[in-house]
Amino acid sequence: MPTLILVRHGRSTANTEGVLAGWTPGVALDDRGAAQAAALPGRLAELPISEVVSSPLQRCQETVRPLLAARPGLTGHTEERIGEAHYGDWTGRKLAELGDEPLMRVVQAHPSAVAFPGGESMRAMQTRAAEAVREWNARVERDHGADAVYVMCSHGDIIKSLVADALGLHLDLFQRISVEPCSITAIRYTRLRPFLVRLGDTGDLTSLVPREEPPADDAPVGGDAGAP
């Protein structure tokens, strides 16, 4: 079965503002995110990509635009099921203030029990994304062969949940996974099991440089903003 290249969208204006964007329209890449997207075709240059699939949200569409421009033979597809989690009443709120919500502790420690107020459950989020991947795996294999490689551009929590699914990890452990903006995660699917062959690869180690403020114990909902 195919190899899936998962790309998290480049850094967005919501990432830098510390806002939980969710499905808020008009959230674009910031200058750093645009540069990350521009570098993506070069990073993937050696791969025989057969399809490019993207979340419908603007920050993902902007991330794959340079890749599609660099490969005119590729057609871009939009897949609703790999769109960001529906955070409901939390959408558009500052992450700093959400840290005071009692539900945030459950998001961190027991996400399989979480349903966002006015939104969806994290179980539903993982299920829809995993179903989309399996359907696209079958479609890509049918159209391009078992050794095909294809790209999906999605969001931090979606990608983390797909990695957990591939590794057979319970959703309650998915907050232990980290994927930075415009990082590449690769999963090779076979008939018996998936293999995680890359995780959150940005091509540099900048994010490992110690920061002035110590890292938080909690995982940022939606994914962090990456290296400064």
Side-chain angles (χ1 to χ4, degrees):
M1 297 181 72
T3 296
L4 169 61
I5 307 298
L6 287 163
V7 179
R8 184 183 168 200
H9 62 78
R11 196 174 73 176
S12 72
T13 54
N15 292 145
T16 49
E17 293 167 3
V19 171
L20 189 62
W23 284 70
T24 303
V27 176
L29 300 182
D30 67 7
D31 289 344
R32 182 184 178 91
Q36 291 169 332
L40 189 61
R43 295 170 63 198
L44 300 176
E46 300 301 317
L47 298 182
I49 298 169
S50 57
E51 303 279 2
V52 175
V53 186
S54 175
S55 156
L57 295 172
Q58 180 177 336
R59 52 198 183 274
C60 287
Q61 297 283 329
E62 289 180 353
T63 299
V64 298
R65 193 171 295 153
L67 177 61
L68 292 170
R71 302 199 188 196
L74 282 179
T75 300
H77 306 274
T78 297
E79 173 57 73
E80 292 273 340
R81 291 173 294 176
I82 62 168
E84 181 64 283
H86 292 277
Y87 296 117
D89 297 343
W90 281 20
T91 301
R93 292 180 61 186
K94 289 280 190 179
L95 290 168
E97 71 178 44
L98 287 172
D100 296 328
E101 294 279 356
L103 184 62
M104 182 60 83
R105 298 310 306 149
V106 189
V107 170
Q108 296 296 323
H110 191 20
S112 66
V114 168
F116 293 101
E120 71 178 332
S121 70
M122 299 194 88
R123 297 186 312 280
M125 175 199 76
Q126 183 185 46
T127 297
R128 63 173 165 87
E131 287 178 349
V133 165
R134 281 161 175 75
E135 289 180 20
W136 275 97
N137 282 347
R139 175 175 173 174
V140 169
E141 181 173 6
R142 180 197 69 206
D143 294 345
H144 304 283
D147 295 327
V149 177
Y150 73 108
V151 168
M152 271 190 174
C153 184
S154 187
H155 307 266
D157 281 351
I158 298 290
I159 293 173
K160 288 161 57 177
S161 75
L162 289 171
V163 170
D165 174 76
L167 291 176
L169 290 177
H170 196 281
L171 184 62
D172 286 345
L173 300 179
F174 100 127
Q175 297 289 28
R176 302 183 182 195
I177 299 165
S178 178
V179 289
E180 289 198 16
C182 223
S183 63
I184 291 172
T185 294
I187 302 172
R188 181 175 296 122
Y189 288 86
T190 74
R191 298 197 180 279
L192 297 180
R193 63 184 61 86
F195 293 90
L196 179 65
V197 292
R198 291 288 188 280
L199 176 61
D201 188 347
T202 61
D204 67 64
L205 300 177
T206 306
S207 65
L208 301 181
V209 175
R211 304 185 187 182
E212 292 183 7
E213 296 183 5
D217 292 333
D218 289 340
V221 180
D224 65 18

